Amino acid sequence: MAERSSRLLFLLCLLAAPLLHAAALELSKVTLTLGEDNRIYVDAQIGYRLTPAVKEALENGVPLTFVLHVQMRRSRAWIWEKDAADYRLRSTLRYRPLSGLYEVRNLGGDDKQVFATREAALRYMGRIRDLAIADRSSLDTEEEYTVRLETFLDVEALPLPLRPRAYLSSEWSLKAEPWEWQIRP
């Protein structure tokens, strides 16, 4: 009986291992607002908790690319229907060992900021303000829309020699629980 319960405990630990790192990113304070320019904006806060393997890679100069994906589609849309909005904000965090500084770069533009600490860089990267996702005039006001917000570490953006390890290890599976809600514009 003891052997059977220890096997069951081992199996549960094996199944739970990937979940330990699944919530390493956290979305909070998510709001949708309609601006004076008739556009819909998203504000959010992303909390980053890097795993030891990801921290080690960063400290050794490996750039980390995080993606914030915002998707808006008709609630009763067919699978082949086009999204009303589909936006990806890609940001890269890099440590510069020679200067001892952390660099955050928005890959959608020329925005680059430099920070003395990793925590300050992650706080800056996690602050999403006034991200325009859709123009209200392009939406049907009689329809209900589903807005989905998710964020994750882009393993595909890692250097090629590191990707196999990242695919196989749960320590590299950094993602937030998605936020999803219905709106009527």
Side-chain angles (χ1 to χ4, degrees):
M1 183 70 173
E3 183 180 327
R4 183 175 176 189
S5 62
S6 65
R7 276 194 228 155
L8 181 61
L9 181 62
F10 176 73
L11 181 61
L12 287 173
C13 290
L14 253 165
L15 292 174
L19 300 176
L20 293 175
H21 301 294
L25 306 181
E26 182 180 2
L27 287 164
S28 62
K29 301 178 186 174
V30 178
T31 59
L32 281 176
T33 55
L34 181 62
E36 292 177 10
D37 59 355
N38 216 25
R39 295 176 81 183
I40 298 172
Y41 292 91
V42 170
D43 290 346
Q45 186 66 42
I46 303 170
Y48 294 93
R49 287 185 307 278
L50 304 182
T51 60
V54 173
K55 282 181 190 175
E56 180 184 355
L58 177 65
E59 298 305 318
N60 285 300
V62 174
L64 303 175
T65 301
F66 292 91
V67 178
L68 173 68
H69 183 210
V70 182
Q71 182 181 35
M72 178 188 283
R73 59 185 293 121
R74 253 181 3 100
S75 292
R76 291 178 283 135
W78 294 96
I79 195 162
W80 56 80
E81 282 185 48
K82 186 178 178 185
D83 295 337
D86 190 3
Y87 188 80
R88 292 176 194 266
L89 176 65
R90 298 172 56 81
S91 301
T92 298
L93 173 64
R94 174 176 287 185
Y95 177 65
R96 301 289 186 179
L98 291 176
S99 64
L101 299 174
Y102 293 86
E103 176 185 290
V104 175
R105 183 177 295 246
N106 178 354
L107 297 179
D110 294 331
D111 183 31
K112 178 177 106 172
Q113 298 288 325
V114 179
F115 299 91
T117 66
R118 180 177 63 233
E119 291 75 22
L122 290 172
R123 262 193 314 276
Y124 172 79
M125 212 167 65
R127 199 171 319 127
I128 308 302
R129 299 290 178 260
D130 297 327
L131 179 63
I133 61 166
D135 193 341
R136 186 173 185 231
S137 63
S138 67
L139 303 174
D140 184 354
T141 56
E142 299 299 314
E143 288 287 336
E144 188 172 85
Y145 290 84
T146 301
V147 178
R148 181 178 171 87
L149 189 71
E150 62 183 334
T151 187
F152 55 91
L153 172 67
D154 186 2
V155 174
E156 292 293 319
L158 292 171
L160 196 54
L162 192 55
R163 286 186 206 166
R165 185 181 318 162
Y167 290 135
L168 298 174
S169 171
S170 63
E171 280 201 86
W172 287 90
S173 180
L174 302 182
K175 57 186 173 183
E177 197 64 37
W179 277 59
E180 193 171 290
W181 62 100
Q182 283 21 52
I183 65 166
R184 189 176 296 267

